[in-house]
Amino acid sequence: MPDIRIHRAHRLGLARARQVAWSWAEQVERDFDLACTVREGEAGDTVEFQRTGVSGRLLVAADHFDLEARLGFLLGAFSRTIEAEITKNLDALLAAATAPAPAAAAAAAPSTRKTAAGGAKARAQASAAAQPKPRKTPPARR
C-alpha cells in the first residue's frame, strides 16, 4: 500500500497548532468524509483519521506537524493527487494561522468551541451566506 508522509515545521506553539489541527480535521471530515478522532496529550496531540481505503494520523507538536497516511489499493493510484491536496490544505491552514489577524476579526471570533461538527457547520453556513446568489433569470441573448 502506498504511503503519504508530510512534515511541516512551524512556530505556532502547541495551543495554536491545536487550533490548526482541529480546523484541518473538520475540513477533511467535511470534504473527504474522513472520520477523525483527536487524542490530546501534554506535549502534543494525535489526530487519527480513516475511511474506506485510507487511514492515518496527524501528529501535532508545538513546533511541527507530521502526517502519515496509508492508502488502499484503489486510492493508491491517486496517491500523488491526494498528497498534493493534503499538502495544499495543510499549508493554507498554516499560512492563515501565521498571518496576523485583524483586531476586529479576532474580537468577533468565538472564544470556545463545543464540538468539531458545530464549528464546521457554523463555517459552512457562513461560507454559504457569503456565496453570490444564483441568477433567477438567464442573461439576455444578443
Side-chain angles (χ1 to χ4, degrees):
M1 288 193 276
D3 290 329
I4 295 175
R5 288 192 169 85
I6 300 170
H7 175 86
R8 289 291 180 268
H10 63 76
R11 295 181 180 171
L12 299 175
L14 187 55
R16 290 194 59 205
R18 281 182 168 147
Q19 292 173 347
V20 170
W22 273 94
S23 295
W24 181 84
E26 290 172 352
Q27 185 178 29
V28 298
E29 282 179 332
R30 182 183 62 247
D31 296 347
F32 303 110
D33 199 30
L34 291 172
C36 295
T37 304
V38 178
R39 301 190 190 281
E40 293 184 304
E42 287 186 34
D45 298 346
T46 302
V47 179
E48 297 173 345
F49 54 91
Q50 69 177 26
R51 67 168 276 179
T52 303
V54 64
S55 65
R57 64 186 180 172
L58 173 66
L59 301 175
V60 182
D63 61 351
H64 70 276
F65 290 103
D66 279 317
L67 184 136
E68 298 174 354
R70 298 206 35 100
L71 301 178
F73 179 72
L74 294 175
L75 289 178
F78 303 101
S79 64
R80 289 181 188 222
T81 303
I82 293 169
E83 183 173 1
E85 189 68 20
I86 292 170
T87 300
K88 180 181 83 171
N89 293 346
L90 187 56
D91 287 348
L93 289 169
L94 279 169
T98 57
S111 60
T112 60
R113 176 182 0 205
K114 292 184 180 181
T115 64
K121 274 186 188 172
R123 278 195 296 284
Q125 290 170 349
S127 175
Q131 296 295 324
K133 303 291 183 207
R135 289 180 139 164
K136 294 187 181 207
T137 58
R141 291 188 172 201
R142 293 183 185 229

